[in-house]
Amino acid sequence: MAVAETQLYAKVSNKRRSKSASVLLESLLAKGFPAHIAQKALAATGQKSIEDATKWLHSHCNDPSLDDPIPQEYALYLCPVGRLHNHLQEFWKESKRQCGRNRAHEIFPHITLCDFFTCEDQKVELLYDTLKRVGDSFLQCFPSSISLLLHSSTSYLGFFIGDSHANILKEFALAFSSEASALADCHVKPCLKQLHLTLAHKFYPHHQKTLEQLAKCINPGETCQWVATLYSRDMRFVHYQTLRVLFQYKPQNIDELLINVGDFIYVDPAQQSNVSEGWVIGTSHQTGCRGFLPENYTERANESDTWVKHREYVFITAPRFLAQTENEPNVKLNGEVCDPSWSGSVTNVLSLQNVTLRRGVLVMRHGERVDQVFGKSWLQQCLTADGKYYRADLNFPSTLPKRKDSMKHFEYDPPLSCCGIFQSRLIGEALLDQAVTVSYVYSSPALRCIQTAQHILQGKAAKPAKLTCVCDFIVRSNFPLSSLVPSESYEEYVSRSSAVIKQIITACPSKGKGVILIVGHGSSLASFTRPLLGLPARDSNNFAQVVRKIPSLGMCFCEELKEENKWQMVNPPVKTLTHGANAAFNWRNGIVED
């Protein structure tokens, strides 16, 4: 151990520390880990066990930032445990289903007592001691229940804390911040403004009424236990998106990232502009390594999914200070309470208003096309010298449809690949499994879109809906071909799309409760749904970035609220389709030839 590290360790050892934390550090030092790296591992894992810290150190052996003196950020939250927590979790789930994600979904239900602050790794255990002492001192005056008053605005929905109870919580936060700042030599700022428990934040204004109705199903006086909890996060990735890995990917190039199911990846949206379509560049939460990975191997995760819980103080009749590793009969390690007799009751209440079937619009990108796999020169790869088509790869279609013009036009209007046909039929089968009634089908005249719609209907294998082909979504009766502009501007495209979706909605009787299926292109998802939702068009640069990330058969679903004369975006009626790449293989390479 270096002299400076030894002196620093000795200095910290003389201060008040829990015996368990000291034992953990000494065990890591005995294994030969430098003090600063051992303390970093303990801080990153919540000082739970020697096994967790050792595992973290081994997984981060190639982490380029392992030696960097970057501390964690810490926050003190007051979290509900019990039936109120279950009500809030059901609200989270239902609000996300009916209105989509908003900022509140990034974090679990909580009241912020002290917002994020930094603390050196070797002083974190002093925060634990502070939490216990301050908790003990406030135990007798802590309210048995906390007054929660519902407040709503066009961009915020949540519970404000009643003044008398808020004053006690503010005094608790102030006491913790004062002692923690003095002992751990860090700047802790208590929250002294209006204390609140957020339900929804930064949502679209037209969702306000729906969210309010869901919130009114929550009984704020429900049985609850309050727990003051200390969390930490990696300060380097505060403004990044967090992705959860769904499938394992083994790197095939030196700049690619090894990912395993359940890993979390930090992705900076500002760094993705030059990345190839379908890929992202990110940093692994599990290893600290950075590289490229296929985006469709991941899904969006919550910001708090990577946070670490350090210690809790549970406000009950007798003081009790819990480490996360302790087991309680009713309290899970993640702070949730299990009550089987009550489970699911809120879901039923929140879902009552959705029992009535509504008209919906399902907008979908076409399936995989051949040039997406084999490049722009795909046609040259499967034509004989005399211009006849043959199947050069099993992913080429078995035959090409006959067309009046030259076969060369397939270069500008490519068909689906065999995988694209299979994808489309899978979607149709999924629609059939979910008993989704497709009343109308509209398709772009592009061959790949017509084929996608055709194979979806074949996969559905039910009474076929009427397939209407609109010329690049230009309804012939109102938009003759002569009105088209060869080089259309983005503004003209947005205006035309808005007019077309309105005409489609008008042409399909509102008394029908089925789904209007629209098969188009990546750009169709935003250009058709945003006018329905009453949202302005995206900025052209932002629009291009969004479109390039939409995969084959990517879809979004809008549902009509006829009684309110508006539409809302909800989860599509079928699951997404995810699969990996399968490169061309030559058996000679590496098998026969060296």
Side-chain angles (χ1 to χ4, degrees), residues 41-59:
L42 289 171
T45 56
Q47 298 199 4
K48 299 184 189 71
S49 67
I50 186 66
E51 291 78 12
D52 286 347
T54 303
K55 182 180 178 181
W56 187 94
L57 286 165
H58 286 308
S59 64

Side-chain angles (χ1 to χ4, degrees), residues 111-130:
I111 300 170
T112 302
L113 298 178
C114 298
D115 213 344
F116 280 98
F117 60 93
T118 58
C119 180
E120 296 177 19
D121 294 338
Q122 69 273 17
K123 299 178 181 179
V124 173
E125 59 201 271
L126 299 175
L127 300 178
Y128 306 164
D129 295 340
T130 300

Side-chain angles (χ1 to χ4, degrees), residues 204-206 502 528-537 566-568:
Y204 291 123
H206 65 274
K502 290 175 182 177
F528 278 0
T529 60
R530 291 181 73 87
L532 277 183
L533 300 174
L535 300 176
K566 68 178 185 180
W567 293 75
Q568 66 176 0

Side-chain angles (χ1 to χ4, degrees), residues 39-47 70-77 112-128 131 176 180 184 186-191 229-235 238 307-311:
Q39 288 163 339
K40 187 171 189 174
L42 289 171
T45 56
Q47 298 199 4
I70 303 174
Q72 296 278 307
E73 281 190 329
Y74 298 84
L76 183 63
Y77 286 171
T112 302
L113 298 178
C114 298
D115 213 344
F116 280 98
F117 60 93
T118 58
C119 180
E120 296 177 19
D121 294 338
Q122 69 273 17
K123 299 178 181 179
V124 173
E125 59 201 271
L126 299 175
L127 300 178
Y128 306 164
L131 179 57
F176 174 84
C186 55
H187 180 65
V188 184
K189 186 177 180 180
C191 291
T229 311
L230 191 67
Y231 288 94
S232 74
R233 68 183 182 187
D234 193 322
M235 63 184 297
V238 170
W307 293 4
V308 177
K309 181 190 289 186
H310 286 254
R311 295 295 186 271

Side-chain angles (χ1 to χ4, degrees), residues 274-562:
N274 296 323
V275 179
S276 300
E277 182 177 357
W279 292 77
V280 292
I281 185 168
T283 301
S284 170
H285 171 72
Q286 274 64 28
T287 66
C289 297
R290 176 178 166 86
F292 293 94
L293 64 145
E295 187 175 18
N296 63 349
Y297 278 47
T298 65
E299 67 176 0
R300 180 81 178 271
N302 298 328
E303 176 187 336
S304 60
D305 287 345
T306 58
W307 293 4
V308 177
K309 181 190 289 186
H310 286 254
R311 295 295 186 271
E312 301 176 329
Y313 191 95
V314 182
F315 289 98
I316 53 177
T317 52
R320 182 165 46 160
F321 184 62
L322 300 179
Q324 189 179 8
T325 54
E326 293 179 8
N327 293 320
E328 295 294 326
N330 287 332
V331 182
K332 290 186 177 181
L333 296 182
N334 61 4
E336 296 180 0
V337 171
C338 289
D339 189 349
S341 65
W342 184 85
S343 177
S345 60
V346 175
T347 304
N348 296 334
V349 173
L350 297 179
S351 299
L352 284 177
Q353 63 189 68
N354 287 331
V355 171
T356 304
L357 293 175
R358 295 168 175 158
R359 185 167 60 149
V361 173
L362 181 62
V363 185
M364 185 182 306
R365 188 190 178 192
H366 56 76
E368 180 186 89
R369 61 181 193 263
V370 289
D371 63 325
Q372 196 175 334
V373 182
F374 300 103
K376 294 182 178 180
S377 61
W378 69 272
L379 193 57
Q380 285 70 44
Q381 300 174 41
C382 53
L383 287 181
T384 61
D386 56 355
K388 292 182 179 180
Y389 173 80
Y390 75 100
R391 196 177 192 181
D393 184 283
L394 289 180
N395 202 17
F396 279 111
S398 56
T399 60
L400 290 180
K402 295 180 179 180
R403 58 188 311 158
K404 296 179 180 179
D405 48 23
S406 168
M407 186 173 285
K408 280 286 185 180
H409 282 76
F410 279 120
E411 289 186 350
Y412 312 105
D413 187 22
L416 291 180
S417 66
C418 276
C419 284
I421 293 172
F422 176 69
Q423 292 171 336
S424 304
R425 288 181 176 171
L426 274 183
I427 295 296
E429 292 172 7
L431 290 170
L432 179 63
D433 290 341
Q434 296 299 316
V436 176
T437 300
V438 178
S439 301
Y440 303 92
V441 182
Y442 285 81
S443 171
S444 160
L447 176 58
R448 55 192 179 274
C449 298
I450 296 173
Q451 288 181 318
T452 298
Q454 173 192 3
H455 290 293
I456 287 175
L457 293 178
Q458 288 179 356
K460 196 170 184 306
K463 185 178 179 180
K466 182 180 179 181
L467 174 60
T468 304
C469 176
V470 291
C471 183
D472 198 20
F473 295 114
I474 300 298
V475 181
R476 292 191 179 96
S477 59
N478 287 355
F479 296 91
L481 289 176
S482 59
S483 68
L484 290 178
V485 179
S487 55
E488 189 176 41
S489 69
Y490 173 66
E491 290 73 19
E492 291 169 333
Y493 167 74
V494 168
S495 175
R496 177 167 60 86
S497 299
S498 177
V500 168
I501 187 61
K502 290 175 182 177
Q503 183 164 350
I504 289 175
I505 296 301
T506 302
C508 301
S510 58
K511 63 182 179 180
K513 302 298 183 183
V515 169
I516 303 169
L517 172 62
I518 301 177
V519 181
H521 309 272
S523 60
S524 306
L525 274 67
S527 63
F528 278 0
T529 60
R530 291 181 73 87
L532 277 183
L533 300 174
L535 300 176
R538 289 184 177 275
D539 174 81
S540 58
N541 293 329
N542 178 265
F543 180 78
Q545 290 186 15
V546 171
V547 168
R548 64 189 288 271
K549 292 184 178 181
I550 296 174
S552 299
L553 290 166
M555 66 183 78
C556 54
F557 186 63
C558 290
E559 186 178 65
E560 184 182 30
L561 301 176
K562 192 173 181 181

